[in-house]
Amino acid sequence: MRKRIPHTRYDLKIRKSDKVVEIGSGHNPSHRANVIVEKFINDNYHRSGDIKIYPHQVFVNADGEHLPFKDKEFDYIICNQVLEHAEDPVQFIKEHCRVAKRGYIETPSLLGEFLFPKKSHKWAILSIDGKLILFEKSQMPHYMHDYGMLFLNYLPYQSLTYKILQLSEPQLAVNRYEWEDDIDFIVNPTDEYYRSFFIQPWTKEMVEKIFPRSNTLKEFRKLMKGIWYLIKYEMRKLAPRKKLLTLEEYRQLKKIENL
């Protein structure tokens, strides 16, 4: 079940002793992961750049729907911007729950999918009632405009107010779902209540379901938390980190001929 909504993918409840695996780490792996898993080694269709690996990590070439690990082998599993690509999301999520006790899933929200759509994304996803609701994009009204240059590549780096907005409303363009024991989800819902969020214009009631009404005090607290987390995040970037390696550099370091 969902335990909390983190501010960002770096705001996770991972203990120092936890053994951590990341699925689909791509060009930007979490430094905290001990093991990283990638399905596509030579194809960047599903990611934004070539695979990168930290020297301390173990690289595994495997499919996220069929993980080569024992039951509950890991304390924590990280999955950033991968679930929306899954061919079989039911099997994908079941594997997460099988190999780990807790974890974090991040995907574009429905709004995010409309603002910066990707052809490689098979699913549009919303977090409703503590559940991840996955709806196949091919069943949705057509959309083509891509504002990713503004909302992904410009404002997050140039606008302080936009950064604070992202931290104050962490579910605005991204679903952030930290879970424990299991993941509550529905794929291609038949219930009209859930379907309506994907195929109909949002009413005021629907908007308030995703973004509940608040008051001035609560909004001020959210703002202060957002600013405080932004300060912590900026300080975190100053901490020394080992250089990310390319896949070829990793092979040479570990003396691996083939993966």
Side-chain angles (χ1 to χ4, degrees), residues 79-90 92-93 105-107 122-123 125 132 134:
C79 181
N80 289 315
Q81 307 290 325
V82 181
L83 177 59
E84 63 272 18
H85 299 263
E87 287 297 320
D88 184 349
V90 175
F92 188 89
I93 291 173
I105 291 179
E106 177 180 311
T107 75
K122 185 175 181 179
W123 305 94
I125 304 173
L132 288 177
L134 293 83

Side-chain angles (χ1 to χ4, degrees), residues 4-13 76 80 104 106 163 166-168 170 174-178 226 229-230 233 236:
R4 60 190 287 268
I5 300 173
H7 283 95
T8 75
R9 66 182 63 174
Y10 306 107
D11 177 33
L12 306 180
K13 298 295 185 181
Y76 202 97
N80 289 315
Y104 173 70
E106 177 180 311
K163 289 181 182 179
Q166 286 183 303
L167 294 167
S168 301
V174 177
N175 296 305
R176 305 186 191 279
Y177 190 98
E178 192 167 35
Y229 189 80
L230 177 62
Y233 175 71
R236 176 185 173 277

Side-chain angles (χ1 to χ4, degrees), residues 17-166:
S17 60
D18 283 345
K19 185 178 180 182
V20 181
V21 61
E22 182 172 11
I23 309 301
S25 52
H27 69 290
N28 187 28
S30 167
H31 186 269
R32 182 60 185 82
N34 307 105
V35 178
I36 58 175
V37 176
E38 266 291 346
K39 178 179 180 180
F40 303 105
I41 291 182
N42 300 311
D43 183 357
N44 287 342
Y45 177 69
H46 291 281
R47 56 178 178 256
S48 300
D50 293 339
I51 292 173
K52 295 292 178 65
I53 309 165
Y54 284 107
H56 70 278
Q57 294 175 327
V58 175
F59 180 86
V60 177
N61 179 208
D63 185 345
E65 295 172 14
H66 304 283
L67 295 170
F69 306 121
K70 299 176 183 177
D71 293 356
K72 305 303 179 187
E73 183 171 338
F74 296 92
D75 300 292
Y76 202 97
I77 186 169
I78 299 171
C79 181
N80 289 315
Q81 307 290 325
V82 181
L83 177 59
E84 63 272 18
H85 299 263
E87 287 297 320
D88 184 349
V90 175
Q91 178 63 23
F92 188 89
I93 291 173
K94 284 182 177 179
E95 280 291 86
H96 274 56
C97 297
R98 181 184 68 80
V99 304
K101 302 170 187 175
R102 311 179 338 269
Y104 173 70
I105 291 179
E106 177 180 311
T107 75
S109 69
L110 184 61
L111 177 60
E113 195 62 54
F114 271 93
L115 289 174
F116 31 88
K118 303 296 180 185
K119 290 183 179 179
S120 59
H121 293 180
K122 185 175 181 179
W123 305 94
I125 304 173
L126 267 175
S127 180
I128 307 174
D129 300 329
K131 302 180 180 70
L132 288 177
I133 312 299
L134 293 83
F135 199 85
E136 199 160 0
K137 284 172 59 177
S138 62
Q139 300 182 39
M140 293 177 59
H142 188 58
Y143 53 91
M144 293 185 63
H145 299 295
D146 186 346
Y147 302 101
M149 181 55 67
L150 175 63
F151 291 101
L152 285 178
N153 301 321
Y154 184 77
L155 288 178
Y157 301 97
Q158 299 295 326
S159 171
L160 179 61
T161 52
Y162 185 74
K163 289 181 182 179
I164 294 173
L165 172 62
Q166 286 183 303

